[in-house]
Amino acid sequence: MNYLFLFYSLFMSINNSLLIFDFNKESDSTSWKIVDDKVMGGRSGGNFYINKEGFGVFEGHVSLENNGGFSSVRHNFESKKVEAYSKIIIRLRGDGKRYQLRLKSDKNDRHAYISYIMTTKDWQLIEISLSEMYPTFRGRKLDLSNYPGKNLEEVAFLIGNKVSENFKLEIDNIVLQ
């Protein structure tokens, strides 16, 4: 077992944290759903699976054909009360590309609260203040308050950098603190 991960897990359990998802070889990934620009006629294609190391992998190709340009993976879950938490922490390894982290208070909302993540090809611990996540719908910033921080029902990752590109994002865990 990775001692750094063991230390991190112990630290998180001591520090009033809420685990959203912790990937491992036995993880059930069926609650993670791909939504590509195909819903609007585009040609992008994403895939999500658990790799042999036990990490969640979101990979594929973003195409600009037919007015396309994005791929996303979404995880819906029973509503969690999140008022006691101020930030989201994600351990991930990317490909040097920019992704959006997207949260929804209610999975039926049309808008999401977003923040951008610039990845490297190394493992990173990304910390994002929940209060800084702002509302958008179809790429447009909305005139609404930032993330209210009361409930959470969906976490998503999206890539849509206005270029045709392959992508790969590995996710270890997602925690609120």
Side-chain angles (χ1 to χ4, degrees):
M1 175 174 250
N2 182 330
Y3 291 106
L4 180 61
F5 176 71
L6 183 60
F7 174 75
Y8 175 73
S9 298
L10 181 60
F11 177 77
M12 296 307 284
S13 66
I14 294 169
N15 277 328
N16 189 29
S17 298
L18 177 64
L19 182 64
I20 301 300
F21 208 95
D22 184 22
F23 290 97
N24 60 60
K25 292 177 184 176
E26 288 79 43
S27 292
D28 178 6
S29 63
T30 58
S31 64
W32 290 82
K33 306 290 184 202
I34 294 291
V35 178
D36 293 322
D37 56 22
K38 291 177 183 174
V39 298
M40 300 166 16
R43 302 252 195 297
S44 299
N47 188 24
F48 189 81
Y49 61 93
I50 306 297
N51 69 11
K52 65 182 178 176
E53 290 84 22
F55 301 119
V57 178
F58 172 44
E59 68 179 355
H61 179 76
V62 174
S63 170
L64 301 180
E65 288 183 52
N66 211 28
N67 295 317
F70 77 89
S71 183
S72 70
V73 61
R74 300 173 185 185
H75 171 55
N76 292 316
F77 44 87
E78 291 295 318
S79 185
K80 296 181 185 292
K81 298 284 184 200
V82 298
E83 291 171 319
Y85 307 99
S86 62
K87 61 185 169 181
I88 188 165
I89 302 172
I90 306 157
R91 184 170 184 268
L92 55 73
R93 178 170 49 194
D95 49 13
K97 296 185 174 109
R98 186 178 81 155
Y99 292 82
Q100 280 184 22
L101 170 68
R102 303 170 63 85
L103 303 181
K104 284 190 175 185
S105 296
D106 180 330
K107 61 186 163 220
N108 296 314
D109 284 347
R110 293 178 61 148
H111 66 282
Y113 298 91
I114 73 162
S115 182
Y116 287 97
I117 298 169
M118 191 62 201
T119 66
T120 68
K121 295 182 180 183
D122 297 317
W123 284 103
Q124 298 172 264
L125 208 54
I126 305 290
E127 292 188 23
I128 299 168
S129 173
L130 295 175
S131 65
E132 292 176 8
M133 297 190 71
Y134 60 90
T136 66
F137 179 68
R138 293 188 178 164
R140 292 189 182 99
K141 188 172 181 180
L142 302 176
D143 189 20
L144 297 171
S145 299
N146 283 3
Y147 183 68
K150 295 183 186 206
N151 298 309
L152 182 62
E153 291 187 11
E154 182 179 278
V155 173
F157 296 91
L158 180 142
I159 185 165
N161 295 321
K162 299 181 187 201
V163 294
S164 179
E165 62 186 347
N166 293 323
F167 64 90
K168 182 176 181 182
L169 183 68
E170 292 177 271
I171 308 162
D172 184 10
N173 55 51
I174 304 168
V175 176
L176 291 179
Q177 191 175 59

Short mmCIF file of all heavy atoms in Angstrom, two decimals, residues 23-62:
data_model
loop_
_atom_site.label_atom_id
_atom_site.label_comp_id
_atom_site.label_asym_id
_atom_site.label_seq_id
_atom_site.Cartn_x
_atom_site.Cartn_y
_atom_site.Cartn_z
N PHE A 23 -11.64 5.76 -5.27
CA PHE A 23 -11.49 4.69 -6.25
C PHE A 23 -10.52 3.63 -5.75
O PHE A 23 -9.54 3.94 -5.09
CB PHE A 23 -10.99 5.24 -7.59
CG PHE A 23 -12.02 6.06 -8.29
CD1 PHE A 23 -12.02 7.44 -8.19
CD2 PHE A 23 -13.01 5.45 -9.05
CE1 PHE A 23 -12.98 8.20 -8.82
CE2 PHE A 23 -13.97 6.20 -9.69
CZ PHE A 23 -13.96 7.58 -9.57
N ASN A 24 -10.84 2.38 -6.07
CA ASN A 24 -9.95 1.25 -5.83
C ASN A 24 -10.35 0.14 -6.80
O ASN A 24 -11.30 0.30 -7.57
CB ASN A 24 -10.01 0.79 -4.36
CG ASN A 24 -11.40 0.35 -3.95
OD1 ASN A 24 -11.96 -0.59 -4.52
ND2 ASN A 24 -11.97 1.04 -2.97
N LYS A 25 -9.65 -0.96 -6.76
CA LYS A 25 -9.89 -2.04 -7.72
C LYS A 25 -11.30 -2.62 -7.64
O LYS A 25 -11.81 -3.17 -8.61
CB LYS A 25 -8.85 -3.14 -7.55
CG LYS A 25 -7.47 -2.71 -7.94
CD LYS A 25 -6.46 -3.81 -7.69
CE LYS A 25 -5.07 -3.30 -8.01
NZ LYS A 25 -4.03 -4.27 -7.70
N GLU A 26 -11.94 -2.50 -6.49
CA GLU A 26 -13.29 -3.04 -6.31
C GLU A 26 -14.38 -1.99 -6.48
O GLU A 26 -15.56 -2.26 -6.27
CB GLU A 26 -13.43 -3.70 -4.93
CG GLU A 26 -12.70 -5.02 -4.79
CD GLU A 26 -11.20 -4.84 -4.55
OE1 GLU A 26 -10.84 -3.95 -3.76
OE2 GLU A 26 -10.41 -5.56 -5.18
N SER A 27 -14.03 -0.77 -6.84
CA SER A 27 -15.02 0.31 -6.98
C SER A 27 -16.07 -0.04 -8.02
O SER A 27 -15.77 -0.61 -9.07
CB SER A 27 -14.33 1.61 -7.41
OG SER A 27 -13.51 2.10 -6.39
N ASP A 28 -17.29 0.34 -7.71
CA ASP A 28 -18.40 0.20 -8.66
C ASP A 28 -18.51 1.53 -9.42
O ASP A 28 -18.88 2.54 -8.85
CB ASP A 28 -19.69 -0.09 -7.92
CG ASP A 28 -20.90 -0.21 -8.83
OD1 ASP A 28 -20.73 -0.18 -10.07
OD2 ASP A 28 -22.02 -0.34 -8.30
N SER A 29 -18.17 1.49 -10.68
CA SER A 29 -18.15 2.73 -11.47
C SER A 29 -19.46 2.97 -12.22
O SER A 29 -19.54 3.90 -13.02
CB SER A 29 -16.98 2.71 -12.45
OG SER A 29 -17.14 1.65 -13.38
N THR A 30 -20.49 2.18 -11.96
CA THR A 30 -21.74 2.31 -12.72
C THR A 30 -22.47 3.62 -12.46
O THR A 30 -23.30 4.02 -13.26
CB THR A 30 -22.69 1.13 -12.45
OG1 THR A 30 -22.98 1.07 -11.05
CG2 THR A 30 -22.08 -0.19 -12.91
N SER A 31 -22.16 4.31 -11.36
CA SER A 31 -22.80 5.60 -11.08
C SER A 31 -22.12 6.75 -11.82
O SER A 31 -22.58 7.89 -11.77
CB SER A 31 -22.81 5.88 -9.58
OG SER A 31 -21.49 6.00 -9.10
N TRP A 32 -21.02 6.46 -12.52
CA TRP A 32 -20.30 7.46 -13.32
C TRP A 32 -20.77 7.34 -14.76
O TRP A 32 -20.60 6.29 -15.38
CB TRP A 32 -18.80 7.26 -13.21
CG TRP A 32 -18.27 7.59 -11.85
CD1 TRP A 32 -18.29 6.79 -10.74
CD2 TRP A 32 -17.68 8.81 -11.44
NE1 TRP A 32 -17.72 7.44 -9.68
CE2 TRP A 32 -17.34 8.69 -10.07
CE3 TRP A 32 -17.38 10.01 -12.09
CZ2 TRP A 32 -16.73 9.72 -9.36
CZ3 TRP A 32 -16.77 11.02 -11.38
CH2 TRP A 32 -16.45 10.88 -10.03
N LYS A 33 -21.36 8.41 -15.29
CA LYS A 33 -21.95 8.39 -16.64
C LYS A 33 -21.28 9.40 -17.55
O LYS A 33 -21.03 10.53 -17.16
CB LYS A 33 -23.45 8.72 -16.58
CG LYS A 33 -24.25 7.85 -15.64
CD LYS A 33 -24.37 6.45 -16.14
CE LYS A 33 -25.27 5.64 -15.20
NZ LYS A 33 -25.06 4.24 -15.29
N ILE A 34 -21.03 8.97 -18.77
CA ILE A 34 -20.45 9.84 -19.80
C ILE A 34 -21.57 10.65 -20.46
O ILE A 34 -22.62 10.10 -20.80
CB ILE A 34 -19.73 9.01 -20.89
CG1 ILE A 34 -18.50 8.31 -20.30
CG2 ILE A 34 -19.34 9.87 -22.08
CD1 ILE A 34 -17.37 9.22 -19.90
N VAL A 35 -21.33 11.95 -20.63
CA VAL A 35 -22.21 12.81 -21.42
C VAL A 35 -21.29 13.59 -22.36
O VAL A 35 -20.47 14.39 -21.92
CB VAL A 35 -23.04 13.78 -20.55
CG1 VAL A 35 -23.90 14.67 -21.43
CG2 VAL A 35 -23.89 13.02 -19.56
N ASP A 36 -21.42 13.31 -23.64
CA ASP A 36 -20.59 13.96 -24.66
C ASP A 36 -21.43 14.94 -25.46
O ASP A 36 -22.66 14.99 -25.34
CB ASP A 36 -20.04 12.92 -25.65
CG ASP A 36 -19.06 11.97 -25.02
OD1 ASP A 36 -18.25 12.41 -24.18
OD2 ASP A 36 -19.08 10.78 -25.38
N ASP A 37 -20.77 15.66 -26.35
CA ASP A 37 -21.46 16.59 -27.23
C ASP A 37 -22.39 15.88 -28.22
O ASP A 37 -23.14 16.52 -28.95
CB ASP A 37 -20.48 17.49 -27.96
CG ASP A 37 -19.44 16.72 -28.75
OD1 ASP A 37 -19.66 15.55 -29.10
OD2 ASP A 37 -18.37 17.30 -29.00
N LYS A 38 -22.39 14.56 -28.21
CA LYS A 38 -23.29 13.79 -29.08
C LYS A 38 -24.75 14.13 -28.79
O LYS A 38 -25.60 14.00 -29.67
CB LYS A 38 -23.05 12.30 -28.93
CG LYS A 38 -21.72 11.87 -29.48
CD LYS A 38 -21.46 10.38 -29.25
CE LYS A 38 -20.06 10.04 -29.76
NZ LYS A 38 -19.66 8.70 -29.46
N VAL A 39 -25.03 14.56 -27.55
CA VAL A 39 -26.39 14.95 -27.19
C VAL A 39 -26.85 16.15 -28.01
O VAL A 39 -28.04 16.42 -28.09
CB VAL A 39 -26.55 15.25 -25.68
CG1 VAL A 39 -26.24 14.03 -24.84
CG2 VAL A 39 -25.69 16.42 -25.24
N MET A 40 -25.88 16.86 -28.64
CA MET A 40 -26.20 18.03 -29.47
C MET A 40 -25.73 17.82 -30.91
O MET A 40 -25.62 18.76 -31.67
CB MET A 40 -25.52 19.28 -28.89
CG MET A 40 -25.99 19.57 -27.48
SD MET A 40 -25.02 20.76 -26.50
CE MET A 40 -24.01 21.62 -27.62
N GLY A 41 -25.41 16.58 -31.29
CA GLY A 41 -24.99 16.28 -32.65
C GLY A 41 -23.50 16.22 -32.88
O GLY A 41 -23.06 15.97 -33.99
N GLY A 42 -22.69 16.44 -31.82
CA GLY A 42 -21.24 16.42 -31.96
C GLY A 42 -20.69 15.02 -32.14
O GLY A 42 -21.42 14.03 -32.16
N ARG A 43 -19.38 14.93 -32.22
CA ARG A 43 -18.72 13.65 -32.49
C ARG A 43 -17.67 13.25 -31.44
O ARG A 43 -16.90 12.34 -31.67
CB ARG A 43 -18.05 13.70 -33.86
CG ARG A 43 -18.95 14.02 -35.02
CD ARG A 43 -19.18 12.80 -35.87
NE ARG A 43 -19.73 12.97 -37.20
CZ ARG A 43 -20.90 13.45 -37.51
NH1 ARG A 43 -21.66 13.94 -36.61
NH2 ARG A 43 -21.34 13.50 -38.74
N SER A 44 -17.62 13.93 -30.30
CA SER A 44 -16.66 13.58 -29.26
C SER A 44 -17.05 12.27 -28.60
O SER A 44 -18.22 11.87 -28.62
CB SER A 44 -16.59 14.68 -28.20
OG SER A 44 -16.16 15.90 -28.78
N GLY A 45 -16.07 11.60 -28.02
CA GLY A 45 -16.34 10.34 -27.36
C GLY A 45 -15.48 10.13 -26.15
O GLY A 45 -14.26 10.09 -26.24
N GLY A 46 -16.11 10.01 -24.99
CA GLY A 46 -15.40 9.74 -23.75
C GLY A 46 -15.70 8.34 -23.26
O GLY A 46 -16.68 7.71 -23.66
N ASN A 47 -14.85 7.87 -22.36
CA ASN A 47 -15.00 6.56 -21.76
C ASN A 47 -14.60 6.68 -20.30
O ASN A 47 -13.74 7.50 -19.96
CB ASN A 47 -14.10 5.55 -22.50
CG ASN A 47 -14.35 4.12 -22.07
OD1 ASN A 47 -15.42 3.78 -21.58
ND2 ASN A 47 -13.35 3.28 -22.24
N PHE A 48 -15.20 5.86 -19.44
CA PHE A 48 -14.84 5.87 -18.03
C PHE A 48 -14.75 4.44 -17.54
O PHE A 48 -15.62 3.62 -17.81
CB PHE A 48 -15.87 6.64 -17.19
CG PHE A 48 -15.41 6.85 -15.78
CD1 PHE A 48 -14.52 7.86 -15.47
CD2 PHE A 48 -15.84 6.01 -14.78
CE1 PHE A 48 -14.07 8.04 -14.17
CE2 PHE A 48 -15.40 6.18 -13.47
CZ PHE A 48 -14.51 7.21 -13.17
N TYR A 49 -13.66 4.13 -16.81
CA TYR A 49 -13.45 2.78 -16.29
C TYR A 49 -12.50 2.82 -15.10
O TYR A 49 -11.85 3.84 -14.84
CB TYR A 49 -12.91 1.86 -17.39
CG TYR A 49 -11.58 2.28 -17.95
CD1 TYR A 49 -10.39 1.78 -17.44
CD2 TYR A 49 -11.50 3.20 -19.00
CE1 TYR A 49 -9.16 2.18 -17.95
CE2 TYR A 49 -10.28 3.60 -19.51
CZ TYR A 49 -9.11 3.08 -18.98
OH TYR A 49 -7.90 3.49 -19.49
N ILE A 50 -12.41 1.72 -14.39
CA ILE A 50 -11.44 1.56 -13.30
C ILE A 50 -10.25 0.81 -13.89
O ILE A 50 -10.41 -0.28 -14.43
CB ILE A 50 -12.04 0.75 -12.12
CG1 ILE A 50 -13.36 1.36 -11.64
CG2 ILE A 50 -11.01 0.64 -10.99
CD1 ILE A 50 -13.27 2.75 -11.08
N ASN A 51 -9.04 1.38 -13.78
CA ASN A 51 -7.87 0.71 -14.35
C ASN A 51 -7.32 -0.34 -13.39
O ASN A 51 -7.82 -0.52 -12.27
CB ASN A 51 -6.81 1.73 -14.78
CG ASN A 51 -6.14 2.45 -13.63
OD1 ASN A 51 -6.28 2.12 -12.46
ND2 ASN A 51 -5.38 3.49 -13.96
N LYS A 52 -6.28 -1.07 -13.81
CA LYS A 52 -5.74 -2.18 -13.02
C LYS A 52 -5.12 -1.71 -11.71
O LYS A 52 -5.01 -2.49 -10.77
CB LYS A 52 -4.74 -2.99 -13.84
CG LYS A 52 -3.50 -2.24 -14.24
CD LYS A 52 -2.57 -3.09 -15.08
CE LYS A 52 -1.36 -2.25 -15.48
NZ LYS A 52 -0.38 -2.98 -16.20
N GLU A 53 -4.74 -0.42 -11.61
CA GLU A 53 -4.22 0.13 -10.36
C GLU A 53 -5.34 0.56 -9.41
O GLU A 53 -5.08 0.89 -8.26
CB GLU A 53 -3.30 1.33 -10.64
CG GLU A 53 -1.98 0.97 -11.30
CD GLU A 53 -2.11 0.84 -12.82
OE1 GLU A 53 -3.06 1.41 -13.40
OE2 GLU A 53 -1.26 0.15 -13.41
N GLY A 54 -6.57 0.60 -9.90
CA GLY A 54 -7.69 0.96 -9.06
C GLY A 54 -8.08 2.43 -9.13
O GLY A 54 -8.81 2.91 -8.26
N PHE A 55 -7.65 3.15 -10.15
CA PHE A 55 -8.02 4.56 -10.30
C PHE A 55 -9.15 4.69 -11.32
O PHE A 55 -9.23 3.90 -12.27
CB PHE A 55 -6.82 5.39 -10.76
CG PHE A 55 -5.67 5.33 -9.82
CD1 PHE A 55 -4.44 4.83 -10.23
CD2 PHE A 55 -5.79 5.77 -8.51
CE1 PHE A 55 -3.36 4.76 -9.36
CE2 PHE A 55 -4.72 5.71 -7.63
CZ PHE A 55 -3.51 5.20 -8.05
N GLY A 56 -10.01 5.69 -11.14
CA GLY A 56 -11.01 6.01 -12.15
C GLY A 56 -10.33 6.70 -13.30
O GLY A 56 -9.54 7.63 -13.09
N VAL A 57 -10.62 6.26 -14.54
CA VAL A 57 -9.99 6.84 -15.72
C VAL A 57 -11.07 7.39 -16.65
O VAL A 57 -11.97 6.66 -17.07
CB VAL A 57 -9.13 5.81 -16.48
CG1 VAL A 57 -8.52 6.43 -17.73
CG2 VAL A 57 -8.04 5.24 -15.57
N PHE A 58 -10.97 8.67 -16.94
CA PHE A 58 -11.83 9.37 -17.90
C PHE A 58 -10.94 9.71 -19.08
O PHE A 58 -10.00 10.49 -18.94
CB PHE A 58 -12.41 10.62 -17.24
CG PHE A 58 -13.17 11.55 -18.14
CD1 PHE A 58 -14.09 11.08 -19.07
CD2 PHE A 58 -12.98 12.92 -18.03
CE1 PHE A 58 -14.79 11.96 -19.90
CE2 PHE A 58 -13.69 13.80 -18.84
CZ PHE A 58 -14.59 13.31 -19.77
N GLU A 59 -11.22 9.08 -20.23
CA GLU A 59 -10.37 9.33 -21.40
C GLU A 59 -11.21 9.28 -22.66
O GLU A 59 -12.31 8.76 -22.67
CB GLU A 59 -9.22 8.33 -21.47
CG GLU A 59 -9.63 6.90 -21.76
CD GLU A 59 -8.44 5.96 -21.85
OE1 GLU A 59 -7.29 6.42 -21.78
OE2 GLU A 59 -8.67 4.76 -21.99
N GLY A 60 -10.64 9.83 -23.72
CA GLY A 60 -11.33 9.81 -25.00
C GLY A 60 -10.78 10.86 -25.94
O GLY A 60 -9.60 11.23 -25.87
N HIS A 61 -11.67 11.35 -26.80
CA HIS A 61 -11.28 12.33 -27.81
C HIS A 61 -12.36 13.40 -27.91
O HIS A 61 -13.55 13.09 -28.00
CB HIS A 61 -11.11 11.66 -29.17
CG HIS A 61 -10.73 12.63 -30.25
ND1 HIS A 61 -9.44 13.13 -30.37
CD2 HIS A 61 -11.46 13.21 -31.23
CE1 HIS A 61 -9.41 13.97 -31.39
NE2 HIS A 61 -10.62 14.04 -31.94
N VAL A 62 -11.94 14.65 -27.89
CA VAL A 62 -12.85 15.77 -28.14
C VAL A 62 -12.72 16.14 -29.60
O VAL A 62 -11.63 16.36 -30.11
CB VAL A 62 -12.51 16.99 -27.25
CG1 VAL A 62 -13.36 18.20 -27.64
CG2 VAL A 62 -12.71 16.66 -25.78
#
